[in-house]
């Protein structure tokens, strides 16, 4: 039998539905399933469930940090959006962090497993590279990241990510500016220089996903 390309046609009550409509439905239900599972598991069970992965990530990131001897590699993600300005977005986003709104923080990315912002730093479990990683993000003004044309971004929010033992494994600088029709966001992340390419490249997509979803949530709030 000759193998040919698979073609599937879907019809609901006599109305044809394109493949894209089925995929959109699947994405919506996948998000709902993830939300349900994350809520049922809770933070303590999530930490326990992912301990083998986060322990492996600790070992790898510690080794890369030591091998890098203070040298960092940088990756940048930029987003522009219309229909929402920087003040409106930041009011919503920072409000979710200050309120410890776990559902809003977790929903932004399927690989957000834990986000506890109720203390003076954000406890996070999310995938970095290919492995769920447990770290603590502390926002502060003196993060040593220099970006081009920083003065064109009125709001700059820097952060340092550390493992439980205090090893610094990432740095971020989130920058926000209004445009004539909306806002411009520049998201910079740094990982230890010895880390593989997948970490900075993967986190560019991670940023694109989570901030797009947060923009959508802020716009509809």
């Amino acid at each position: 039998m000759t193998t040919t390309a698979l073609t599937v046609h879907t019809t609901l009550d006599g109305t044809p539905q394109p493949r894209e409509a089925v995929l959109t439905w699947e994405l919506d239900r996948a998000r709902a399933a993830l939300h349900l599972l994350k809520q049922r598991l809770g933070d303590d069970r999530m930490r326990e469930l992912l301990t083998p992965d986060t322990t492996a990530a600790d070992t790898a990131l510690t080794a890369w940090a030591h091998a890098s001897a203070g040298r960092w590699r940088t990756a940048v993600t930029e987003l522009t959006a219309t229909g929402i300005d920087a003040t409106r977005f930041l009011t919503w986003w920072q409000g979710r962090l200050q309120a410890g709104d776990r559902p809003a923080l977790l929903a932004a990315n399927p690989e957000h497993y834990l986000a506890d912002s109720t203390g003076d730093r954000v406890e996070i479990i999310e995938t970095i590279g290919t492995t769920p990683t447990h770290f603590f993000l502390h926002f502060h003004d003196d993060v040593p990241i220099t970006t081009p044309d920083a003065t064109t971004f009125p709001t700059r929010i820097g952060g340092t990510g550390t493992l439980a033992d205090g090893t610094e494994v990432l740095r971020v600088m989130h920058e926000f500016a209004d445009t004539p029709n909306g806002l411009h966001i520049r998201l910079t992340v740094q990982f230890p220089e010895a880390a593989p390419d997948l970490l900075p490249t993967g986190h560019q997509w991670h940023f694109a996903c989570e901030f797009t979803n947060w923009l959508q949530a802020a716009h509809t709030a």
Side-chain angles (χ1 to χ4, degrees):
M1 177 179 177
T2 302
T3 301
T4 59
L6 176 67
T7 301
V8 178
H9 298 284
T10 301
T11 302
L12 305 182
D13 287 335
T15 302
Q17 300 291 338
R19 173 62 175 155
E20 291 75 15
V22 179
L23 291 173
T24 297
W25 185 92
E26 179 186 14
L27 176 59
D28 179 67
R29 302 322 304 157
R31 286 172 169 167
L34 276 173
H35 173 75
L36 177 62
L37 290 172
K38 290 174 182 178
Q39 291 299 105
R40 290 288 188 270
L41 283 169
D43 289 350
D44 289 340
R45 181 67 180 119
M46 189 68 78
R47 292 186 190 94
E48 178 185 354
L49 182 67
L50 296 177
T51 292
D53 306 277
T54 58
T55 299
D58 282 356
T59 300
L61 283 164
T62 298
W64 294 327
H66 290 165
S68 299
R71 298 182 301 274
W72 298 83
R73 57 191 307 179
T74 301
V76 178
T77 302
E78 296 192 58
L79 303 173
T80 58
T82 59
I84 186 170
D85 62 20
T87 297
R88 181 177 170 188
F89 174 72
L90 287 166
T91 297
W92 180 89
W93 182 59
Q94 292 181 308
R96 297 307 88 215
L97 286 167
Q98 292 164 6
D101 188 344
R102 285 174 171 80
L105 299 176
L106 294 177
N109 192 300
E111 294 182 306
H112 283 182
Y113 301 105
L114 185 148
D116 182 357
S117 61
T118 56
D120 60 352
R121 56 184 182 172
V122 187
E123 181 186 2
I124 296 170
I125 299 179
E126 67 182 29
T127 296
I128 293 180
T130 60
T131 307
T133 303
H134 189 191
F135 64 99
F136 299 84
L137 183 62
H138 174 58
F139 292 110
H140 55 101
D141 294 333
D142 56 346
V143 176
I145 292 180
T146 301
T147 59
D149 303 319
T151 57
T152 66
F153 289 86
T155 302
R156 304 177 77 242
I157 302 172
T160 300
T162 61
L163 302 179
D165 66 1
T167 301
E168 186 179 2
V169 294
L170 66 87
R171 297 170 176 175
V172 296
M173 181 61 69
H174 301 333
E175 300 173 285
F176 305 87
D178 285 326
T179 65
N181 298 312
L183 83 161
H184 180 192
I185 304 176
R186 182 165 63 195
L187 307 164
T188 302
V189 64
Q190 290 185 336
F191 289 104
E193 186 181 68
D197 293 343
L198 184 59
L199 268 67
T201 300
H203 222 71
Q204 288 177 304
W205 288 102
H206 187 107
F207 275 156
C209 174
E210 68 182 358
F211 274 88
T212 296
N213 284 328
W214 280 329
L215 282 163
Q216 181 65 45
H219 184 263
T220 58

